[in-house]
Structure formats: structure tokens, C-alpha cells
Amino acid sequence: MSENTLNPKLYRLLKRRFNQVKVSNAGEAAQITYRRNVHHNNREEPEAVHPGEYYQVNCPYCADTRQRLYVNHMFGQVDDEGNGFWHLAHCFNENCLSTRGRVSEFVEDITELECDIQKFKVMPGKEIDISKIEVTWPGAVQRVDKLPRDHNAVQYLISRNFDPGRIGRYYNVHYCIDSNRYWLAVNRIIIPIYNDKRMIGWQARSIGEPRGENPPPKYYTCPGTPRRALIYNFRNARKYKTGVVVEGATDVWSFGPMACSTLGATMTDHQQRTFLAAFRQHSAILLYDPEEYEKPSVQKLIAAFSSAFAGGFAAVKLPLGTDPGSLDRTFQRTYVKEQAAKQGVKISWGRR
């Protein structure tokens, strides 16, 4: 098997150490992009847009028995600028490789200090057009509007002032009943992410806030989802005269169909170009959570957008302690319109 992998020596070491190794995205090349890290002197740092081939093993640092430690075939490689791809190994069970010290420990464990992982030869893989990526549901699922009224997922949505009927029918949101492959998706709300009607990823949202000494992540994203190239609900939002950029999918549900999510409080260059192309002749609103506005990356985004839209742009900060996902839709739209008007921007919630 090792001779058919993109990083044969890394695969053999993992096989020797863990015995059971699962290969995913076999033969696919990693697609690495670079982002500017404002916290490290604006240094350009590598990030995988599409992970390509990776190897799954049982994490040795937690009670993992489902091969939830993902080791990318580019793990440990170094680019021309000296950036090491040490971040390309991740434990999806308890995030065990979150520190550089633990990563170093893992490298020593699999190599036994016999070799330099940075010098492993990586074979060229097949370039995947991320525009053609398509995924399936994580396992057995049921659309949320088809669940019984007393189901915990339905009750959770209602407690957040979401209409399960609308969320199910309009956004095709499901609930994961069981999964043989994605343990962290089970008993979670599954939010599909589409590109031109193709599901190319999904996020599994916990019902309520995760608790415990080492709680699982609130959101678990399907491995391989090209998050930095996606804008959630963009196909619907671009039909409106004013586009609203929010952080998360639930913020979209709360604000309405003219909102689209960057799946986090950052907007990549690709996302910016995509959004600009659709709204350049119209108007736009940035509606991140209030605490995000002081971050240099968000300030840079505001500066880039300030004069980019023919109809104007406004960065609106909601009252402190609130976020788009926690406020009434009518209040939000009225508040945003008023705050945008103070910045000289006239907006419309109507379709084009």
C-alpha cells in the first residue's frame, strides 16, 4: 500500500506505529494557499484550502478508537520560505495536537528519532478542482422539520427563536442520527454548505453548548470542506439589493436570506473577491459580532470595503453583548438600516 501513497515513508512510519492506517482522498494533492497573519508581523502563512490525501490513525493521546487523528501527506514538509506544515495533523476527538510541544512529541513517537520528517519525498498528486467537490451526508440523517415536535434538536431550535419548518425547508438543515465515519456529527444539527446546488461540505452544530473538562468543538466541519473558498447562503444572498456579511450559519438564519456567512470572523481574499463581484454595483453591510471589530484583520476588511460598492458600505456594530444569532429579525433589520443611514448608506431588503 505504501508505494501507492503520496508520502510513502510517512505512511510506513504510521503503519509501523499504529498498525491500522486509513487513507482518505487517496492520490489527491493538497492545495495550499497563504494568508497574512496580522499577529505575526503580517507574515504570509500556509493554509490548506483542500487537504488532499491524509492518513487516519487512533490518536495515542486520548481515548480515540475511531481513527480520528488525521495526518496530512504534507505534514512536516517545508516550503521555499521556510514555513513548516506542522499544523497539518489534527485530532478531531479532543484536539490533542493543539500545541507545538505535543506535535514535536508526536513526531518523535512515529520516527523514533531515526529520520528527518522534513526530508521525506512527497509524490505529486492529482489536482482537484474544488468547484467540482461534492460530499454526502455524514450518515443517517433526518430533516429537522420532519422530526417530532418534542425532539431535542427541534426544541433547541425553538429555544433559539428559529422556526424548524423554515430552517428545514429553506436551508435543508438535518439532524444526524448515526454515522459510521463521523463520530462528532452524531446527535448534532447538520448544516449543509452548497456551491451551485452541490453540497461541498457541512458543519455539525452541537445542540446546546458543549460542556466538560475537554468539551468537543461547538462546530465540527466535514474534513475536506474548502471553507476559505466558500460563502454560506451566497446563492440566495446575491439575489438581494443589499448583501449582509455575518460570521456563522445561524446568524444567516436569524437575519434572513440576504445574509451570507464567511464561516468565521475572517473574510479571505477569495471570499472578498466573490462577494465584491456580486455586490459591487449595489450596497453591503458587515455584521460581525461586536467584539470582532477591534481585530486588525476586520479593520483591514472594513478599509478594503469602504469605497468598493456603488451603493455604499457600512460596518454595523450591534449592541455589546449581542450577536446576529441572538436578536429578533425585525429588530436587527431596523437597527442595521438606521445605523447604515448614519454612515450615509441607504440600504434595501428587497430583491433586485
Side-chain angles (χ1 to χ4, degrees), residues 36-204:
R36 200 174 295 278
N37 190 329
V38 296
H39 302 295
H40 290 85
N41 299 318
N42 284 324
R43 178 178 176 177
E44 293 282 346
E45 296 183 346
E47 183 173 47
V49 176
H50 177 63
E53 182 175 286
Y54 54 88
Y55 315 119
Q56 294 176 234
V57 298
N58 289 328
C59 179
Y61 306 109
C62 61
D64 175 25
T65 59
R66 299 189 183 182
Q67 296 176 293
R68 299 182 203 123
L69 175 57
Y70 288 62
V71 184
N72 193 274
H73 70 281
M74 293 293 290
F75 175 65
Q77 294 294 301
V78 178
D79 66 11
D80 294 338
E81 301 300 320
N83 294 298
F85 297 164
W86 301 109
H87 62 295
L88 296 182
H90 183 78
C91 170
F92 284 99
N93 191 44
E94 294 187 8
N95 196 24
C96 296
L97 272 67
S98 60
T99 66
R100 184 59 187 268
R102 179 54 64 81
V103 171
S104 297
E105 182 181 345
F106 176 68
V107 171
E108 291 181 10
D109 184 20
I110 63 175
T111 64
E112 297 180 356
L113 301 180
E114 295 177 358
C115 49
D116 185 353
I117 197 172
Q118 296 181 350
K119 296 180 180 179
F120 290 178
K121 183 178 181 180
V122 176
M123 308 302 291
K126 178 175 62 176
E127 292 287 339
I128 301 298
D129 184 352
I130 62 174
S131 68
K132 296 179 180 178
I133 293 175
E134 189 166 5
V135 303
T136 58
W137 297 100
V141 295
Q142 177 69 60
R143 212 170 73 179
V144 293
D145 57 310
K146 304 295 184 181
L147 294 170
R149 177 78 177 183
D150 60 354
H151 193 282
N152 60 342
V154 173
Q155 290 300 308
Y156 170 73
L157 290 171
I158 293 173
S159 73
R160 293 284 306 275
N161 296 316
F162 295 129
D163 177 2
R166 176 190 292 166
I167 299 303
R169 292 190 301 270
Y170 194 86
Y171 296 104
N172 202 29
V173 174
H174 283 60
Y175 172 79
C176 184
I177 301 167
D178 192 22
S179 175
N180 292 325
R181 184 176 182 186
Y182 302 105
W183 170 78
L184 277 174
V186 178
N187 297 327
R188 287 182 174 231
I189 294 170
I190 308 300
I191 305 166
I193 304 170
Y194 294 96
N195 184 36
D196 293 331
K197 297 185 178 181
R198 288 179 298 102
M199 186 165 69
I200 60 175
W202 45 257
Q203 285 192 326

Side-chain angles (χ1 to χ4, degrees), residues 1-12 15 19-27 53-56 123:
M1 177 64 184
S2 64
E3 63 273 12
N4 296 322
T5 58
L6 298 184
N7 193 330
K9 193 162 187 177
L10 176 60
Y11 175 85
R12 286 196 296 269
K15 187 73 173 178
N19 189 32
Q20 298 293 325
V21 180
K22 180 179 178 181
V23 179
S24 296
N25 296 341
E53 182 175 286
Y54 54 88
Y55 315 119
Q56 294 176 234
M123 308 302 291

Side-chain angles (χ1 to χ4, degrees), residues 206-237:
S206 65
I207 296 174
E209 301 303 307
R211 301 185 183 280
E213 186 175 342
N214 293 298
K218 183 188 300 185
Y219 285 94
Y220 169 66
T221 303
C222 174
T225 300
R227 287 176 57 180
R228 294 181 61 80
L230 301 175
I231 303 178
Y232 176 74
N233 196 51
F234 186 67
R235 187 169 180 271
N236 292 317

